Amino acid sequence: MPIALTLAITKTALKLSRGLGRGGGTALPGLIAEKLDRHLGRKLAASLPKGVILVTGTNGKTTTTKMIAAMLTASGERVLTNRAGSNLKRGVVSALLADVDMHGRTKATIGLFEVDEASLRQVAPELQPRQIVVTNLFRDQLDRYGELDTTAALIGQGIAATGAHLYLNADDPLVASLAKYATPERVSYFGVEGLPSTAATAYTTATDSDRCPNCGSRLNFSRTFYSHIGHYRCPKGDFDRPQPHVAVTSVEQSDLAGSRFTVAIQGKRYPMNLPIPGTYNLYNALGALALAAGLGLNLEVVERTLGTTVAAFGRVEKVTVEGRTLYLLLIKNPAGFTQVLETFLLSQKAPHVLMIINDNFADGRDVSWLWDVPLELLEPTDAKVWSAGIRGTDMALRLHYAGIASKVVDSVARGVDELVKQTPEGGTAFILPTYTAMLELRKHLATRTKLEEVWR
């Protein structure tokens, strides 16, 4: 089929999808395009003068992609990205379709796409990225991905089908091992050399990847920052943490206002400010900084841009409802949920919390992962908790066995009403939704406050 006809059909689908309010047309046009021309994405991406960057991994894809987009834009690039986070192949193709004209031309200079871990093997061969950033690998949606070794192998297939330069998290053993799919000169690492004890994980939590990727021996960790993220070596000498090319050397501040830290890049040290809290967001920033350094961006521009970072939708997003500040904190696996607990809730006295758990396809059907989250740590805070969502009763059961009383509410709207009513005026409360619950939550909040559509 001629590309002009394919574009006409898919762009009509895009317009209709947006008109019906179905997520801004983030997937349907790409799905149609796959049926009409399975290589349409490759053809459209070829028109980008500076090629394509892909960001993948379990946690932090959306936030890292948003940081990189801001850095590139501030550096004078016109960035084409899947802003709404639709990260399967069809979502990436839809983002390309939304940007090009009827002749397949774009005004963008560079493409930047977050990509689902299992989809990288489909997206990377088509788009032939020049750079790939891998944030981390945690257990996530076991019913869909399987165990971590399987996920890593899928990412490896995508990497092996390209000549991309890799930016890998040195502090995640399985991510660091992905270097085997590229030549050494095409690999750069980022990691943390120093964190104060108050910023490091203070509790024993589930560790997802503590085995040597080569021989299977249990790794020796000299430092851990959270879960299995840290400094490690194989006791048999088969695998050691690689030396980062871009590294955090010290953290001067780490609280709910964000982090002030120093990063070493190419032998020089630069002070950075990140106005989003959490050790996990520090790693997201580090991945973005490593790519920026590799692309040769002006680091003064990068520093200023990072200092004005705004959270991605649902990821440490703040909204005000009836005089109360609500934090929207996406949860989707044990490691991420634990980081939310440690960063936002454990330091609070009697925090008000709404947990919304769905088990739709995009959330993962299996919610047994809730039992791997150390919710017992929340019990001493005297938290006031509500649970909602399709699996709200499962959440309440897990809380019960953690010694935490909660109230099950029958809808997201009812949960928000209860949360706002019980939170003192001028106070702060926290909402922890899974992915589809977060979209439902934002749709509800948009009727009560100013909240931008996720695809804008």
Side-chain angles (χ1 to χ4, degrees), residues 165-169 184-190 243-245 290 294:
H165 191 101
L166 307 183
Y167 295 87
L168 305 177
N169 185 346
E185 64 273 12
R186 291 196 287 117
V187 181
S188 298
Y189 298 99
F190 57 91
Q243 188 65 33
H245 297 84

Side-chain angles (χ1 to χ4, degrees), residues 268-289:
K268 296 183 179 180
R269 299 194 175 197
Y270 300 86
M272 296 285 172
N273 177 54
L274 176 65
I276 308 178
T279 301
Y280 60 105
N281 279 316
L282 183 66
Y283 272 95
N284 294 336
L286 195 51
L289 288 169

Side-chain angles (χ1 to χ4, degrees), residues 50-55 64-81 109-113 131 288 291-298 301-302 305-306:
K50 296 188 178 180
V52 168
I53 301 166
L54 300 183
V55 179
T64 302
T65 300
K66 184 171 183 178
M67 290 176 180
I68 294 170
M71 292 173 182
L72 290 169
T73 300
S75 300
E77 301 295 344
R78 300 189 67 162
V79 183
L80 192 169
T81 186
T109 59
I110 193 166
L112 169 64
F113 305 104
Q131 295 87 18
L291 177 71
L295 293 177
L297 303 186
N298 184 302
V301 173
V302 168
T305 304
L306 189 65

Side-chain angles (χ1 to χ4, degrees), residues 17-60:
S17 183
R18 286 185 171 177
L20 293 171
R22 295 181 177 176
T26 58
L28 179 60
L31 181 61
I32 294 172
E34 288 179 350
K35 302 295 184 183
L36 299 177
D37 183 348
R38 64 190 182 92
H39 295 305
L40 183 62
R42 177 185 302 181
K43 296 170 184 176
L44 299 181
S47 66
L48 293 161
K50 296 188 178 180
V52 168
I53 301 166
L54 300 183
V55 179
T56 195
T58 306
N59 291 347

Side-chain angles (χ1 to χ4, degrees), residues 11-271:
K11 278 186 165 292
T12 298
L14 175 67
K15 186 176 180 179
L16 290 172
S17 183
R18 286 185 171 177
L20 293 171
R22 295 181 177 176
T26 58
L28 179 60
L31 181 61
I32 294 172
E34 288 179 350
K35 302 295 184 183
L36 299 177
D37 183 348
R38 64 190 182 92
H39 295 305
L40 183 62
R42 177 185 302 181
K43 296 170 184 176
L44 299 181
S47 66
L48 293 161
K50 296 188 178 180
V52 168
I53 301 166
L54 300 183
V55 179
T56 195
T58 306
N59 291 347
K61 294 185 293 292
T62 302
T63 300
T64 302
T65 300
K66 184 171 183 178
M67 290 176 180
I68 294 170
M71 292 173 182
L72 290 169
T73 300
S75 300
E77 301 295 344
R78 300 189 67 162
V79 183
L80 192 169
T81 186
N82 49 343
R83 194 176 309 277
S86 185
N87 57 25
L88 302 181
K89 183 182 177 184
R90 65 194 62 168
V92 174
V93 174
S94 291
L96 285 161
L97 284 166
D99 189 80
V100 301
D101 62 20
M102 294 303 296
H103 301 286
R105 297 176 302 216
T106 176
K107 293 181 180 179
T109 59
I110 193 166
L112 169 64
F113 305 104
E114 68 162 278
V115 180
D116 171 87
E117 306 93 286
S119 295
L120 189 77
R121 62 174 179 163
Q122 299 170 332
V123 176
E126 282 296 298
L127 270 57
Q128 285 298 308
R130 298 183 188 181
Q131 295 87 18
I132 298 175
V133 181
V134 187
T135 59
N136 49 60
L137 284 172
F138 294 108
R139 283 182 299 138
D140 188 59
Q141 297 190 36
L142 293 180
D143 54 316
R144 178 164 166 247
Y145 294 122
E147 290 295 340
L148 280 181
D149 288 345
T150 301
T151 306
L154 294 175
I155 293 176
Q157 289 177 30
I159 291 171
T162 76
H165 191 101
L166 307 183
Y167 295 87
L168 305 177
N169 185 346
D171 296 344
D172 186 315
L174 207 49
V175 170
S177 74
L178 294 172
K180 66 188 176 186
Y181 294 101
T183 55
E185 64 273 12
R186 291 196 287 117
V187 181
S188 298
Y189 298 99
F190 57 91
V192 172
E193 295 295 343
L195 273 178
S197 58
T198 54
T201 300
Y203 309 96
T204 300
T205 59
T207 299
D208 291 344
S209 180
D210 63 352
R211 296 283 177 173
C212 173
N214 293 331
C215 71
S217 299
R218 188 178 296 277
L219 294 167
N220 292 330
F221 282 81
S222 59
R223 303 188 72 183
T224 54
F225 302 122
Y226 69 97
S227 189
H228 60 263
I229 305 298
H231 295 186
Y232 53 85
R233 59 177 297 275
C234 173
K236 295 183 178 180
D238 290 330
F239 188 75
D240 290 348
R241 171 183 180 262
Q243 188 65 33
H245 297 84
V246 175
V248 170
T249 57
S250 63
V251 178
E252 290 72 41
Q253 172 197 325
S254 181
D255 53 32
L256 287 186
S259 301
R260 285 188 298 107
F261 62 98
T262 301
V263 62
I265 301 174
Q266 298 169 351
K268 296 183 179 180
R269 299 194 175 197
Y270 300 86

